Amino acid sequence: MAKVPSAAISRLVTYLRILEDLEARGVNRTSSEQLSEEAQVTAFQVRKDLSYFGSYGTRGVGYTVPVLRRELQQILGLNRRWGLCIVGMGRLGQALADYPGFDEHFDLRGFFDIDPAKHGLSFRGVAVEALEHLPRAVAERRIEVGLIAVPADSAQSVADRMIDSGLRGILNFAPVVLEVPKEVAVENVDFLAGLSRLSFFILNPRLREEMIG
């Protein structure tokens, strides 16, 4: 497989959401033009992104929506359920625990915090535990991905404990760059960075149009 740009993976997620919506509306066929219009990219970009993973669709006919949806789910690893945990059960961690979007492909199987006052609080029927219980929980509950919802100055030590416990992926909400082994996947969710990009593009609308088109 050719090297796949990170941005292409993000666009695949967008294409999948569009396909799921089309299928829910009873639409059976689509095209790169329709996908590009809804994803706000070019049709060439859609075809290029899909070509990293194989040959999909028929020239002049387009794509069968349920088939392409299943293919993208398999590519993204969303044809199975993943075990998740959250470390840091303050306001952000609790908001993440209550987010309903996890239900389809992800199971929240553990909540951890260093604050004894939070131990025993229940979310989704699962009690918050001491961080020391993480290694056992990972092994017993088949947890594979950890969400970091702690302050920046604690994030690296939490990441280290996650890695030592055997987690293979980390979704990091702390505004800090983590140092991890190359075999561990990390995705950063930085709200301030997103707001900074928004302010830039509001001030420079032509640049945003050039990037889209």
Side-chain angles (χ1 to χ4, degrees):
M1 182 187 298
K3 185 176 181 180
V4 182
S6 176
I9 302 300
S10 297
R11 288 190 292 267
L12 288 190
V13 175
T14 300
Y15 305 153
L16 176 58
R17 288 173 178 165
I18 294 168
L19 290 165
E20 289 173 339
D21 179 64
L22 290 173
E23 189 171 9
R25 291 190 275 125
V27 177
N28 191 58
R29 300 204 71 85
T30 188
S31 64
S32 56
E33 287 76 15
Q34 182 178 18
L35 291 174
S36 69
E37 182 178 348
E38 297 204 30
Q40 297 187 14
V41 297
T42 65
F44 172 78
Q45 187 68 70
V46 172
R47 293 190 293 270
K48 183 177 181 181
D49 290 340
L50 295 177
S51 72
Y52 288 116
F53 303 95
S55 178
Y56 304 98
T58 304
R59 182 180 295 273
V61 177
Y63 308 101
T64 303
V65 170
V67 173
L68 186 58
R69 187 261 305 159
R70 287 194 298 269
E71 292 289 346
L72 293 190
Q73 284 184 329
Q74 183 170 355
I75 290 168
L76 294 168
L78 299 179
N79 56 344
R80 51 160 288 185
R81 296 185 70 81
W82 295 85
L84 310 184
C85 70
I86 299 174
V87 175
M89 293 308 295
R91 291 181 180 179
L92 176 57
Q94 293 181 27
L96 291 170
D98 287 334
Y99 177 61
F102 288 118
D103 292 339
E104 188 171 357
H105 303 296
F106 303 97
D107 284 329
L108 281 166
R109 299 174 182 171
F111 305 109
F112 303 90
D113 202 286
I114 62 171
D115 182 2
K118 294 186 175 68
H119 299 166
L121 296 177
S122 182
F123 299 90
R124 295 172 175 257
V126 179
V128 177
E129 303 171 64
L131 188 54
E132 289 74 18
H133 297 171
L134 180 62
R136 185 178 66 190
V138 168
E140 293 179 352
R141 302 174 207 167
R142 298 179 61 187
I143 298 172
E144 296 157 295
V145 178
L147 282 64
I148 294 179
V150 302
D153 57 1
S154 302
Q156 184 63 56
S157 63
V158 168
D160 293 341
R161 297 188 77 154
M162 286 181 167
I163 294 165
D164 291 343
S165 298
L167 294 185
R168 300 161 55 192
I170 295 173
L171 186 61
N172 175 38
F173 287 85
V176 63
V177 177
L178 300 175
E179 295 182 7
V180 302
K182 62 181 180 180
E183 63 268 18
V184 176
V186 176
E187 286 289 325
N188 296 299
V189 181
D190 190 333
F191 297 117
L192 280 179
L195 288 171
S196 298
R197 286 193 296 270
L198 276 176
S199 64
F200 174 82
F201 285 123
I202 290 171
L203 294 174
N204 300 275
R206 289 185 180 180
L207 291 177
R208 179 176 180 274
E209 291 170 4
E210 290 173 3
M211 293 181 69
I212 294 175

Short mmCIF file of all heavy atoms in Angstrom, two decimals, residues 17 39 110 134 140 150 153:
data_model
loop_
_atom_site.label_atom_id
_atom_site.label_comp_id
_atom_site.label_asym_id
_atom_site.label_seq_id
_atom_site.Cartn_x
_atom_site.Cartn_y
_atom_site.Cartn_z
N ARG A 17 -19.53 9.01 6.69
CA ARG A 17 -20.71 9.63 7.28
C ARG A 17 -21.72 9.99 6.19
O ARG A 17 -22.93 9.83 6.38
CB ARG A 17 -20.31 10.89 8.06
CG ARG A 17 -19.58 10.57 9.36
CD ARG A 17 -19.07 11.83 10.02
NE ARG A 17 -18.41 11.54 11.29
CZ ARG A 17 -17.63 12.39 11.93
NH1 ARG A 17 -17.41 13.59 11.42
NH2 ARG A 17 -17.06 12.06 13.07
N ALA A 39 -18.80 16.63 0.74
CA ALA A 39 -17.59 16.68 1.56
C ALA A 39 -16.79 17.96 1.35
O ALA A 39 -15.80 18.19 2.05
CB ALA A 39 -16.70 15.47 1.24
N GLY A 110 -13.95 1.61 30.93
CA GLY A 110 -13.26 1.98 32.16
C GLY A 110 -13.08 3.47 32.29
O GLY A 110 -12.86 4.17 31.29
N LEU A 134 -5.58 0.57 36.27
CA LEU A 134 -5.61 0.56 34.81
C LEU A 134 -5.01 -0.70 34.18
O LEU A 134 -5.65 -1.29 33.30
CB LEU A 134 -4.89 1.81 34.28
CG LEU A 134 -4.83 1.96 32.75
CD1 LEU A 134 -6.22 2.07 32.15
CD2 LEU A 134 -3.97 3.17 32.37
N GLU A 140 -8.20 -7.36 31.54
CA GLU A 140 -9.43 -8.11 31.78
C GLU A 140 -10.58 -7.69 30.87
O GLU A 140 -11.44 -8.51 30.53
CB GLU A 140 -9.85 -7.95 33.25
CG GLU A 140 -8.89 -8.62 34.23
CD GLU A 140 -9.32 -8.43 35.67
OE1 GLU A 140 -10.27 -7.65 35.92
OE2 GLU A 140 -8.70 -9.07 36.55
N VAL A 150 -6.83 14.95 31.03
CA VAL A 150 -6.18 15.51 32.22
C VAL A 150 -5.46 16.79 31.82
O VAL A 150 -5.25 17.06 30.65
CB VAL A 150 -5.18 14.50 32.84
CG1 VAL A 150 -5.89 13.20 33.20
CG2 VAL A 150 -4.03 14.23 31.88
N ASP A 153 0.11 19.21 32.23
CA ASP A 153 1.29 18.80 32.99
C ASP A 153 1.21 17.36 33.49
O ASP A 153 2.21 16.82 33.99
CB ASP A 153 1.55 19.75 34.15
CG ASP A 153 0.37 19.87 35.11
OD1 ASP A 153 -0.66 19.19 34.88
OD2 ASP A 153 0.48 20.63 36.09
#
